[in-house]
Amino acid sequence: MAQRNVNHAGQVSPAELHSEDHGHPDMEEMRKFGFWIYLMTDIIIFGTLFATYIVLKGNTNGGPGPADLFQIGGIIVSTFILLISSYTSGLAVLAMHKGNRQALMRWLGVTALLGAAFIAMEVNEFIHLVGEGATLSTSAFLSAFYTLVGTHGLHVLVGLVWMIAIIIQLGKHGITPVTKRKVHIISLFWHFLDVVWIFVFTIVYLMGVS
Amino acid sequence: MAQHETAHEESHGSLKTYSIGFLCSIVLTIIPIAIVLGGWFDGMVSKVVLMGAAALQFIVQLIFFMHLREEQKPRYNLMALILGIVILLIIVVGSMWIMLYNMVAV
């Protein structure tokens, strides 16, 4: 019996020992997993919007089509802005693991600024499109386009507000298990939005102008 | 023990893995842009290459930025992701098949 206990103790994995240092890591891990499940449902939302866009792409109702409307130059710039912001949000997580709160807040701030620049460019693009007479109700193609791109933009906007809130919390409470989990989650969200944008960029814009 | 420590550090990624991921995504973004602006391929070939680049970029971000590979067993994150992607493909490919390639509807 004693032998078994020793054996059992000997089998405690380093990971388990590590998790005991942190208080309630399992709960925070569960919350992170819960957010991951949310991201999977978001994949389905974007999937339906992509499917709708692909199906309705050709129905321009005599109005302007993708090749007439899109100005690929600005879109390429905003793609790189989002790509860089995905990298800076990763740098924020790295700074957090080094325990460097200043660097963490700075990188999150840079990410938020890049996100704001992305939103500004998107709003600018939409205003330009509406100016060209391409509104939400012009054709099925444009309805699907604004819904898909607008939903992504809305996600970025929510992420932006959320990121600013986390920067404020970090300023107040510092790096705690709770703020750590929040930074992890927002960076997951940000990478996810970058991935969605890559598909928007490829399917809507690149295939639209080619 | 030292090996375990480095393995643990690795599980949050390092500047190196993030930078490799970033460089890969930059390259995988520039290639499709060059293809489209340069008009290298046309029609179906172009579409397949563009989607391939986007899918690769998705995998790069999953591995280098979201650290999917470093998950401990049981790999619930990966399982949830596979379920999500299966539903995604059914919705997208199914819609395209029915709405674009169905001769009865045309």
Side-chain angles (χ1 to χ4, degrees), chain A residues 14-15 18 33 36-37 40 43-44 46-48 50-51 54-55 57 72 76 79-80 83-84 86-87 90-91 93-94 97 184 188 191-192 194-195 198-199 201-203 206-207 209-210, chain B residues 4 8 12-15 18-19 22 25-26 29-30 32-33 36-37 46-47 50-51 54-55 57-58 61-62 65-66 68 72 76-78 80-81 84 87-88 91-92 95-96 99-100:
Chain A
H18 171 73
F33 181 60
W36 183 261
I37 300 282
M40 297 308 111
I43 282 186
I44 299 170
F46 280 109
T48 55
F50 271 114
I54 292 168
V55 166
K57 191 165 58 174
I72 199 73
I76 290 173
T79 301
F80 278 103
L83 215 57
I84 294 166
S86 192
Y87 181 55
L91 293 180
V93 172
L94 275 184
H97 287 299
H184 268 297
L188 265 186
H191 296 318
F192 171 77
D194 188 35
V195 168
I198 289 303
F199 282 92
F201 176 63
T202 305
I203 293 175
L206 285 182
M207 289 185 183
V209 296
S210 67
Chain B
H4 165 66
H8 176 68
H12 303 298
S14 62
L15 187 61
Y18 273 107
S19 302
F22 182 53
S25 15
I26 293 274
T29 308
I30 288 175
I33 292 172
V36 168
L37 295 187
S46 159
K47 276 182 185 160
L50 291 185
M51 282 315 289
Q57 166 120 253
F58 180 33
Q61 297 244 351
L62 277 174
F65 289 175
M66 299 185 184
L68 192 71
Q72 282 170 1
Y76 292 123
N77 282 268
L78 182 66
L81 178 69
I87 297 176
L88 173 88
I91 293 172
V92 175
S95 300
M96 286 170 71
M99 298 303 291
L100 301 177

Side-chain angles (χ1 to χ4, degrees), chain A residues 14-26:
Chain A
E16 272 176 85
L17 281 177
H18 171 73
S19 63
E20 274 164 18
D21 307 337
H22 282 245
H24 303 286
D26 285 341

